[in-house]
Structures are given as C-alpha cells and as structure tokens.
Amino acid sequence: MTESALTTTPDFSIYRDEESFAFGQRMAKSLCQSDLVPQSYQGQKGLANCLIAIETANRMRISPLMVMQNTNIIHGKPSWSAQFVIATITGCGRFEDFDYEEEGTKAVRARAIRRKDEKEVFGAWVTMEMAQKEGWTRNSKWQTMPQLMLRYRAATFFGRQYVADLLLGIQTEDEIVDIQPVN
C-alpha cells in the first residue's frame, strides 16, 4: 500500500498488515511530537491515541488533526460535539441548504436538500416535551439556551439518519452525558 493510498482509500486500515501499521506509526510519531495537537495526543503517551485518530480519520475521509481536535472523552467514551456533527453534515458534500425548521420555541427539526436526487430530506422533530421526558433538561444549557440545544439535538438526529457512516456510531457529548444515571 502506498503512502498516498492511506489518505485516499476510505476503507484502508493502518491495522491491515505490518507495512500499513509501520507507516501509521510513523505518521502518529510525527503528530505526537507536535504541540499543536491536543494534550492527550502529545508525547510517547499520546502515540496510541494518534494511531486511533489516524484510523478514525481514514474511515471518515478527513484529516487526523480534525479528529484529534473534535474528539472528547466523556465517561471513558469517545464523543463528538454537536458542532462537529453539523460540520460533518455540511462539509460532506451530500447536502445543500442545511437548515432548521422551527415550530415556535417548542420544536425543531433539521432539513436539507440531498444532492444526489435534489430531494428535501428531514430529520426527526425534537421537542421540549421530548427533552423533558428524556431527562435532557437536567443540563443547565437547556435552562439557559433551550433553542440552541434543540437545534443541536435536531442536527444530531439528522446526522444519525443521513451520515451515520461518517459519524462511525460515535455518540455526541450530550448523548453520553444524558444516558448516565443521575446520582
């Protein structure tokens, strides 16, 4: 496998064979020596995290640095921010005119035009009633900026429905926090 194949082949894995793994380690070593990557990726201790970020980036067809800057560990699990999910939706090239429909301040859903067939597609409605029943409103952000939080959840639902392959099944920070039992 050539070095250029690593960045152009989405199903390429650095764990495929010894040559691929050795190349992945060289890449990871250069990244972990940079002070521009987040601290958990720096130094010898961060080398393994760099390898995982490179593997994830290959599967998503994005830069390893984007993965490093947008992966957060919440309760021991990797997670994306809702903003990263939105960036993935708008940057993947599959949609145009990504936006939200709102029913007052009580409900939001994401919508976009799918480029391959020019069809308008919609995510599920996210409502304040749903947020309360699911226990999401325990988070103080729901108290101070509920409309933004509705949009973030609507975008996450849209992402799960239409770009699940790019999100790799990784939950958002909010999803991980919200499924944890209340003490």
Side-chain angles (χ1 to χ4, degrees):
M1 178 79 45
T2 65
E3 291 183 15
S4 64
L6 180 64
T7 58
T8 60
T9 307
D11 59 350
F12 173 76
S13 173
I14 63 173
Y15 299 104
R16 180 181 301 191
D17 54 44
E18 285 184 43
E19 180 185 348
S20 301
F21 188 67
F23 179 65
Q25 285 184 307
R26 287 193 307 274
M27 287 180 64
K29 187 173 182 181
S30 72
L31 289 166
C32 76
Q33 292 174 349
S34 171
D35 58 0
L36 295 179
V37 299
Q39 188 171 356
S40 62
Y41 298 96
Q42 293 178 9
Q44 186 62 34
K45 190 175 178 181
L47 185 67
N49 290 343
C50 288
L51 282 167
I52 293 168
I54 292 166
E55 179 73 11
T56 302
N58 283 335
R59 298 198 178 282
M60 295 181 75
R61 302 180 195 166
I62 61 175
S63 163
L65 190 57
M66 282 185 68
V67 171
M68 292 176 184
Q69 291 175 332
N70 289 287
T71 303
N72 298 301
I73 305 301
I74 308 293
H75 302 300
K77 295 180 179 184
S79 65
W80 305 127
S81 66
Q83 298 93 324
F84 181 71
V85 171
I86 295 166
T88 300
I89 294 166
T90 59
C92 71
R94 298 179 189 177
F95 307 97
E96 54 188 54
D97 298 328
F98 178 81
D99 206 350
Y100 303 93
E101 286 187 11
E102 299 180 347
E103 288 187 354
T105 60
K106 300 291 184 194
V108 175
R109 73 175 173 177
R111 56 148 296 281
I113 305 297
R114 190 169 46 204
R115 286 195 172 144
K116 73 177 183 179
D117 59 7
E118 298 296 316
K119 180 180 178 185
E120 187 171 28
V121 292
F122 302 90
W125 283 102
V126 180
T127 67
M128 283 304 295
E129 179 183 5
M130 175 193 298
Q132 290 164 347
K133 286 182 178 178
E134 292 291 328
W136 302 340
T137 56
R138 298 186 304 252
N139 180 326
S140 66
K141 297 287 185 196
W142 281 91
Q143 304 302 314
T144 58
M145 50 185 81
Q147 205 62 22
L148 179 62
M149 299 306 290
L150 285 171
R151 284 181 170 214
Y152 283 171
R153 282 302 170 113
T156 299
F157 281 16
F158 186 95
R160 297 258 170 266
Q161 190 170 354
Y162 294 105
V163 296
D165 59 314
L166 299 179
L167 299 177
L168 305 176
I170 297 174
Q171 295 175 304
T172 64
E173 298 161 334
D174 297 325
E175 290 171 314
I176 291 174
V177 168
D178 289 340
I179 62 171
Q180 295 300 310
V182 177
N183 294 331

